[in-house]
Amino acid sequence: MDERVSEEMEALTAILMDEVTVSTSENGTTTVESVLFPSTAADEEQQFVTVTLTVELPAGYPDESPAIRLRNPRGLDDDLLAKILSEAKAKCEDYLGQPVIYELIELVREHLTSSNTPSCQCAICLYGFRDEDEFTKTPCFHHFHAHCLASYVRSHQEMQRQEKEKVPLWQRMQQKDAEHDCVVPCPVCRESLSCQLDRLSMAAPPKDVQDACNFKVTEELRALQSKMNSLYLYQQQKGGIIDPEADENKLLLVTQSSSNENSVESAPVAPVPTTPPQPATGFKPQAPGSRSWKRGGGGHPKAGGSSRGNRGNGRGRDRRNHQSTQMETTR
């Protein structure tokens, strides 16, 4: 490490003591980190903004400019952070070859002191903070209008009450909450907060909330609603809208892949009816015991025989007569 850097680190530790942290990574990079607050004569209740300054020193520092980062800002908007970062980089260029870390810390602290009013929005009502608004700062450095935070606490208490009604009575008797304090999660980071609801409820609503006009449906909004309704119907026709009830009535087709071909399982095929086919019109089947069911038939129309059967019987007699004639000739 350069001798100039070592002397600067010793001076920072002696002046700022616990407010600065110096660490060295495995590759030899030195990092200086400091959590900064506005200058309020050690009155922490009046410190509404904060930011963490991180300075990474390259191997050629102080002849090379360090890398500067602003982390974990609270109560500061993006425009102010960009302004602080731009001025810090310009100061590094002016102090090439000289120690600059202490100058950077003082630069950031001055900006925090001049911008000690939160420049962000209330995460509950989404309005900004005015000078006449009464707001509160949480231990995690998130800011809310006192009136908005009181509404949030009451809503959370009602939700807790409804949840307690679902548990058995003996468990409810074991849970004893404070009468004036209420522990709720932070609306932003979910860290536990202890709030005094009585004091918060005394605050007036934010100025922007009071000045906000009542919501009215304009013609432009009606046109947008009509357009979105048409788009919804179009998507519904194309199957782009999920209907849980309709999905329950759908059939599931399972595809099984094999080495040769794919087979698809579908609904079972209806069985073939066992009823014999109806005969042609004009045909009357006879009982099995009748003469018409015997081979050759009866030969007579009244016996159920057909003309074809009669012809067949005649040919049979001719063959028998021919055989008898041959036997007689042989004799």
Side-chain angles (χ1 to χ4, degrees):
M1 181 181 294
D2 194 321
E3 184 178 355
R4 294 172 296 178
V5 178
S6 301
E7 293 178 356
E8 185 179 8
M9 297 301 105
E10 293 178 2
L12 287 175
T13 305
I15 297 173
L16 302 176
M17 293 185 292
D18 296 338
E19 296 181 9
V20 65
T21 303
V22 181
S23 60
T24 303
S25 61
E26 296 180 356
N27 57 4
T29 302
T30 302
T31 303
V32 181
E33 187 174 275
S34 178
V35 181
L36 302 176
F37 301 93
S39 299
T40 56
D43 187 1
E44 297 182 358
E45 295 296 330
Q46 298 299 320
Q47 296 176 348
F48 301 110
V49 293
T50 182
V51 70
T52 301
L53 173 65
T54 303
V55 182
E56 294 182 2
L57 306 181
Y61 177 82
D63 297 328
E64 294 182 15
S65 298
I68 304 172
R69 289 187 301 163
L70 299 176
R71 302 188 302 106
N72 301 330
R74 295 292 186 269
L76 305 173
D77 57 12
D78 295 338
D79 295 337
L80 182 57
L81 292 174
K83 181 180 179 180
I84 297 174
L85 191 59
S86 176
E87 293 184 7
K89 291 181 179 181
K91 186 172 285 294
C92 290
E93 295 294 333
D94 297 337
Y95 276 75
L96 279 178
Q98 305 177 35
V100 71
I101 299 178
Y102 182 80
E103 301 295 333
L104 295 176
I105 293 176
E106 289 300 315
L107 172 66
V108 177
R109 198 191 306 274
E110 290 176 2
H111 277 285
L112 296 181
T113 304
S114 60
S115 305
N116 197 20
T117 301
S119 57
C120 58
Q121 295 178 342
C122 174
I124 299 176
C125 68
L126 301 182
Y127 283 107
F129 298 94
R130 293 192 179 186
D131 294 337
E132 58 269 24
D133 292 340
E134 184 177 352
F135 61 91
T136 181
K137 177 194 68 175
T138 63
C140 50
F141 268 86
H142 291 115
H143 306 84
F144 309 97
H145 294 111
H147 177 82
C148 299
L149 188 58
S151 301
Y152 170 77
V153 171
R154 285 193 293 267
S155 176
H156 192 271
Q157 285 181 333
E158 177 63 21
M159 182 184 64
Q160 287 182 330
R161 185 190 64 81
Q162 295 177 0
E163 291 295 330
K164 289 179 181 179
E165 292 179 354
K166 301 178 182 179
V167 301
L169 180 60
W170 64 272
Q171 291 185 358
R172 278 183 278 173
M173 298 297 295
Q174 294 180 353
Q175 299 175 357
K176 297 181 181 180
D177 297 334
E179 297 180 359
H180 302 286
D181 295 344
C182 179
V183 178
V184 297
C186 174
V188 178
C189 66
R190 317 308 295 174
E191 183 178 345
S192 298
L193 305 177
S194 180
C195 304
Q196 295 182 357
L197 182 58
D198 295 340
R199 185 181 63 83
L200 295 175
S201 301
M202 297 174 60
K207 183 64 175 176
D208 290 335
V209 174
Q210 296 179 6
D211 297 341
C213 59
N214 295 330
F215 176 77
K216 295 182 180 180
V217 180
T218 61
E219 294 298 329
E220 181 180 1
L221 184 57
R222 293 183 185 275
L224 179 60
Q225 289 177 341
S226 177
K227 178 181 178 181
M228 298 305 295
N229 184 46
S230 301
L231 179 61
Y232 173 81
L233 295 177
Y234 175 78
Q235 292 179 343
Q236 190 177 33
Q237 294 175 358
K238 296 297 182 178
I241 305 298
I242 299 177
D243 188 356
E245 297 181 358
D247 289 344
E248 294 179 356
N249 300 327
K250 289 183 179 179
L251 297 178
L252 177 63
L253 298 180
V254 181
T255 303
Q256 296 179 349
S257 60
S258 60
S259 58
N260 297 330
E261 60 181 0
N262 296 334
S263 61
V264 179
E265 296 183 2
S266 58
V269 181
V272 179
T274 57
T275 305
Q278 298 295 332
T281 305
F283 178 80
K284 297 181 179 180
Q286 300 295 329
S290 61
R291 295 180 59 184
S292 61
W293 286 89
K294 295 182 180 180
R295 189 165 189 173
H300 196 275
K302 292 183 179 181
S306 62
S307 59
R308 182 177 179 180
N310 293 335
R311 288 195 301 269
N313 293 337
R315 288 195 297 269
R317 287 193 298 270
D318 293 341
R319 286 195 297 272
R320 289 193 296 270
N321 294 334
H322 179 71
Q323 292 176 358
S324 300
T325 304
Q326 289 182 349
M327 294 174 62
E328 293 176 359
T329 305
T330 304
R331 291 175 185 176

